[in-house]
Amino acid sequence: MSILGKIFTWWDGATFGTMLDSARNGEQVGTDAQGNKYYRAKKPYPKGHPFAGRERRWVIYNGPNDASRVPAEWHGWLHGSFDGVPESNLPPPRIWEVDYTPNATGTSAAYRPQGALERGGKRAAATGDYEAWSPEASPEA
């Protein structure tokens, strides 16, 4: 991305200001498999701040800013569920765990159920298991 893109856009990676602030006030603590970088502040929040004494943590995405790209173990670290970085807290991977797949919402690869407008808006006719309610047929009437 060009330098102008880094100055004026935020949706595809960090802006120039974020990168500068991270270099000055942050300490990189790790990187995930997708290349996202995780930081913690060199100093905790000051007295008088609602989060006084707590550590500020953030992520700089490698590519589009999409929170679904943060793996579960780093999500827990970002939200203060544990203090140590995930590499020191992770159990061994399970055989049933699958690799990350991007969030497809809003793309042509998104799930569209039968009857969705994008699939023609036609759905199967109701079978005999459905009976529409009618106030005249109500037992209380």
Side-chain angles (χ1 to χ4, degrees):
M1 179 178 278
S2 71
I3 189 69
L4 287 175
K6 285 289 185 192
I7 293 172
F8 294 110
T9 62
W10 56 265
W11 53 84
D12 192 21
T15 62
F16 182 73
T18 302
M19 292 187 319
L20 183 64
D21 183 63
S22 296
R24 288 180 55 224
N25 301 316
E27 165 192 10
Q28 184 176 343
V29 295
T31 305
D32 66 20
Q34 297 176 50
N36 300 325
K37 296 178 184 177
Y38 297 87
Y39 292 84
R40 78 171 101 215
K42 292 178 181 174
K43 299 178 188 172
Y45 287 106
K47 290 181 181 176
H49 191 278
F51 300 115
R54 292 179 64 191
E55 183 176 67
R56 181 174 171 242
R57 300 172 178 182
W58 67 95
V59 59
I60 294 185
Y61 298 100
N62 179 26
N65 294 339
D66 180 4
S68 70
R69 296 181 61 222
V70 174
E73 60 271 12
W74 281 103
H75 181 273
W77 179 82
L78 282 171
H79 291 274
S81 297
F82 47 88
D83 289 330
V85 292
E87 285 87 10
S88 62
N89 292 315
L90 288 179
R94 304 280 201 290
I95 194 165
W96 44 262
E97 291 178 349
V98 295
D99 290 333
Y100 166 80
T101 55
N103 184 350
T105 303
T107 69
S108 60
Y111 171 72
R112 291 178 174 81
Q114 186 178 5
L117 294 176
E118 293 87 352
R119 289 184 62 183
K122 304 282 186 212
R123 56 184 192 132
T127 59
D129 63 345
Y130 173 78
E131 185 178 324
W133 178 80
S134 171
E136 294 82 29
S138 176
E140 289 103 27

Short mmCIF file of all heavy atoms in Angstrom, two decimals, residues 130-140:
data_model
loop_
_atom_site.label_atom_id
_atom_site.label_comp_id
_atom_site.label_asym_id
_atom_site.label_seq_id
_atom_site.Cartn_x
_atom_site.Cartn_y
_atom_site.Cartn_z
N TYR A 130 -48.02 -28.22 7.85
CA TYR A 130 -48.25 -26.86 8.30
C TYR A 130 -49.70 -26.49 8.08
O TYR A 130 -50.26 -26.73 7.01
CB TYR A 130 -47.34 -25.89 7.53
CG TYR A 130 -47.63 -24.44 7.83
CD1 TYR A 130 -47.19 -23.86 9.00
CD2 TYR A 130 -48.37 -23.66 6.95
CE1 TYR A 130 -47.46 -22.54 9.29
CE2 TYR A 130 -48.65 -22.34 7.23
CZ TYR A 130 -48.19 -21.78 8.41
OH TYR A 130 -48.46 -20.47 8.69
N GLU A 131 -50.28 -25.88 9.09
CA GLU A 131 -51.65 -25.42 8.96
C GLU A 131 -51.70 -23.97 9.44
O GLU A 131 -51.35 -23.67 10.58
CB GLU A 131 -52.58 -26.28 9.83
CG GLU A 131 -54.04 -25.96 9.67
CD GLU A 131 -54.91 -26.88 10.52
OE1 GLU A 131 -54.56 -28.08 10.64
OE2 GLU A 131 -55.91 -26.40 11.05
N ALA A 132 -52.11 -23.06 8.55
CA ALA A 132 -52.14 -21.65 8.88
C ALA A 132 -53.19 -21.39 9.97
O ALA A 132 -54.26 -21.99 9.99
CB ALA A 132 -52.45 -20.83 7.64
N TRP A 133 -52.88 -20.46 10.88
CA TRP A 133 -53.80 -20.10 11.93
C TRP A 133 -54.86 -19.17 11.39
O TRP A 133 -54.60 -18.29 10.57
CB TRP A 133 -53.04 -19.39 13.07
CG TRP A 133 -53.93 -18.94 14.19
CD1 TRP A 133 -54.41 -19.71 15.18
CD2 TRP A 133 -54.42 -17.64 14.39
NE1 TRP A 133 -55.19 -18.97 16.02
CE2 TRP A 133 -55.21 -17.67 15.56
CE3 TRP A 133 -54.28 -16.43 13.73
CZ2 TRP A 133 -55.86 -16.55 16.07
CZ3 TRP A 133 -54.93 -15.33 14.23
CH2 TRP A 133 -55.70 -15.40 15.40
N SER A 134 -56.05 -19.34 11.84
CA SER A 134 -57.15 -18.49 11.46
C SER A 134 -57.97 -18.16 12.69
O SER A 134 -58.29 -19.06 13.46
CB SER A 134 -58.03 -19.22 10.43
OG SER A 134 -59.21 -18.49 10.21
N PRO A 135 -58.31 -16.88 12.92
CA PRO A 135 -59.05 -16.55 14.14
C PRO A 135 -60.44 -17.20 14.18
O PRO A 135 -60.97 -17.50 15.24
CB PRO A 135 -59.15 -15.03 14.11
CG PRO A 135 -58.81 -14.62 12.73
CD PRO A 135 -58.00 -15.71 12.12
N GLU A 136 -61.04 -17.44 13.02
CA GLU A 136 -62.37 -18.07 12.98
C GLU A 136 -62.30 -19.53 13.42
O GLU A 136 -63.25 -20.06 13.98
CB GLU A 136 -62.97 -18.00 11.57
CG GLU A 136 -63.29 -16.59 11.10
CD GLU A 136 -62.07 -15.86 10.55
OE1 GLU A 136 -61.15 -16.52 10.02
OE2 GLU A 136 -62.03 -14.62 10.68
N ALA A 137 -61.17 -20.16 13.16
CA ALA A 137 -61.04 -21.58 13.50
C ALA A 137 -60.50 -21.78 14.91
O ALA A 137 -60.28 -22.90 15.33
CB ALA A 137 -60.13 -22.27 12.49
N SER A 138 -60.29 -20.70 15.63
CA SER A 138 -59.72 -20.78 16.97
C SER A 138 -60.72 -21.42 17.93
O SER A 138 -61.91 -21.13 17.88
CB SER A 138 -59.36 -19.38 17.45
OG SER A 138 -58.89 -19.43 18.76
N PRO A 139 -60.27 -22.31 18.85
CA PRO A 139 -61.18 -22.97 19.78
C PRO A 139 -61.82 -21.98 20.77
O PRO A 139 -62.91 -22.23 21.27
CB PRO A 139 -60.33 -23.98 20.53
CG PRO A 139 -58.93 -23.72 20.15
CD PRO A 139 -58.92 -22.81 18.97
N GLU A 140 -61.17 -20.83 21.03
CA GLU A 140 -61.74 -19.88 21.97
C GLU A 140 -62.84 -19.06 21.32
O GLU A 140 -63.59 -18.37 22.02
CB GLU A 140 -60.66 -18.92 22.49
CG GLU A 140 -59.66 -19.57 23.41
CD GLU A 140 -58.34 -19.86 22.71
OE1 GLU A 140 -58.01 -19.15 21.74
OE2 GLU A 140 -57.67 -20.80 23.13
#
